[in-house]
Amino acid sequence: MAGIVVVFDFDKTIIDLDSDNWVVDELGVTDSFKQLLPTMPWNSLMDRMMKELHEQGKTVKDIEGVLKRVPVIHGVVSAVKAAHALGCDLRIVSDANVFFIDTILNHLGIYDCFTEINTNPSYVDEEGKLRILPYHDFHTCSHGCNNHVCPPNMCKGLVIEIMQASLAKEGKKRMIYLGDGPGDFCPSLKLKEHDYVMLRKDFPAWKLINENRHLIKAEIHGWANGEEQQHILLQIIKAIIIHEERQFLSVDSKFQTIPINAAHHEALPKALPVRY
């Protein structure tokens, strides 16, 4: 397996819009959402909207039906499948929620391509109402990030740091991070020199990166549509794999060369050529 971890944001990186807005708009609670938005954090507001939908008689099945109609970025499904087939470890770090993401990925047939999904918890309670909770419980303790673009319920940079510590133990060397929103700026700051960051052009993270390029260690790539995303991602993955194979062959050839002791030069066979 390639030592490559590909981390996707979800909204506007896998699907072509914000999943929260999509559900709110499609199920007819946009006005209430806009009215309450100035009064509470986004994550808390989405939990409130699920309660309102339940009170209006909307069911979890209704929410599922809306999610299965969500517009997906063209080419992303084949890109995910191709990256998985090349041996990459695919993960998601998103400020959406478990129910929304799981429903959509299962519908697209790519849920099993991902080894890890880091997002806001959600569950269906005993009344049949969908509940959405914060990834970091900011009601009891702050996540501690000083980056002003990170929402109180989730610092993706902290998620990436925890992931990096774990991956170092597994021997996985490189990370490719794909995103678009302001919350994707903080994790971009955590990437190393051998990593890659792929951001959607003309979206908030792209603007933040271009204003702060001196803070970014990773190699920066921009994509404007699904075709570009797929092309750049697979190009990076294949280039890394070729580089790693060449390194392996170089090391392997050293081991296949038999050292010659000067005292027994005539008796020892010559080094065998390495077969590529």
Side-chain angles (χ1 to χ4, degrees):
M1 176 179 264
I4 307 168
V5 179
V6 183
V7 181
F8 289 84
D9 177 32
F10 188 73
D11 293 339
K12 301 179 184 177
T13 300
I14 290 180
I15 64 172
D16 205 11
L17 40 65
D18 184 280
S19 57
D20 290 343
N21 287 139
W22 173 256
V23 169
V24 165
D25 293 345
E26 291 295 301
L27 292 177
V29 288
T30 306
D31 291 342
S32 178
F33 180 88
K34 289 180 178 178
Q35 183 179 358
L36 292 171
L37 183 57
T39 69
M40 64 181 73
W42 186 288
N43 177 259
S44 303
L45 178 54
M46 282 306 299
D47 186 54
R48 174 71 174 268
M49 289 297 97
M50 296 305 103
K51 178 182 179 182
E52 187 164 318
L53 288 172
H54 180 73
E55 291 172 350
Q56 292 180 8
K58 300 292 193 302
T59 67
V60 170
K61 288 292 183 184
D62 293 327
I63 298 171
E64 283 182 349
V66 166
L67 291 169
K68 290 176 181 178
R69 301 198 308 267
V70 70
V72 178
I73 289 180
H74 179 69
V76 74
V77 172
S78 56
V80 165
K81 290 180 177 179
H84 180 258
L86 287 167
C88 297
D89 180 351
L90 308 185
R91 307 184 181 200
I92 287 175
V93 177
S94 168
D95 195 17
N97 66 79
V98 170
F99 184 84
F100 286 13
I101 293 175
D102 285 4
T103 299
I104 293 169
L105 292 182
N106 275 306
H107 180 65
L108 296 175
I110 55 174
Y111 178 84
D112 291 335
C113 291
F114 294 90
T115 62
E116 190 174 293
I117 297 174
N118 300 273
T119 188
N120 297 299
S122 57
Y123 69 96
V124 179
D125 68 15
E126 65 279 359
E127 297 177 355
K129 177 171 71 263
L130 180 62
R131 300 296 311 275
I132 299 173
L133 307 176
Y135 182 84
H136 299 299
D137 187 1
F138 61 92
H139 299 294
T140 58
C141 183
S142 167
H143 52 57
C145 179
N146 295 320
N147 197 323
H148 71 280
V149 296
C150 292
N153 62 292
M154 188 177 206
C155 169
K156 293 184 179 181
L158 179 57
V159 177
I160 291 299
E161 285 184 325
I162 294 170
M163 195 181 293
Q164 286 171 327
S166 174
L167 292 172
K169 297 176 183 177
E170 298 174 26
K172 291 177 180 173
K173 304 169 187 176
R174 298 175 187 266
M175 183 178 289
I176 305 170
Y177 187 94
L178 294 89
D180 67 278
D184 296 311
F185 177 63
C186 190
S188 301
L189 296 173
K190 309 298 181 182
L191 300 176
K192 311 298 183 183
E193 289 84 354
H194 54 264
D195 295 330
Y196 302 81
V197 58
M198 290 179 53
L199 299 174
R200 195 168 184 178
K201 292 178 181 177
D202 300 322
F203 277 65
W206 180 251
K207 182 175 184 292
L208 287 166
I209 286 285
N210 280 295
E211 291 173 351
N212 298 277
R213 280 184 173 252
H214 63 288
L215 300 176
I216 307 300
K217 297 176 183 177
E219 188 172 304
I220 302 168
H221 294 267
W223 56 276
N225 52 53
E227 289 80 4
E228 282 190 7
Q229 184 201 77
Q230 180 179 18
H231 174 72
I232 295 168
L233 176 61
L234 297 182
Q235 190 176 51
I236 292 172
I237 292 170
K238 290 174 182 177
I240 294 171
I241 291 172
I242 290 170
H243 176 72
E244 290 180 349
E245 287 176 346
R246 284 175 178 169
Q247 282 190 319
F248 174 78
L249 288 171
S250 176
V251 172
D252 190 50
S253 67
K254 291 178 183 178
F255 281 104
Q256 291 196 39
T257 301
I258 301 173
I260 298 176
N261 187 304
H264 302 282
H265 183 88
E266 296 296 328
L268 292 174
K270 295 180 180 180
L272 298 175
V274 179
R275 302 179 101 183
Y276 293 96

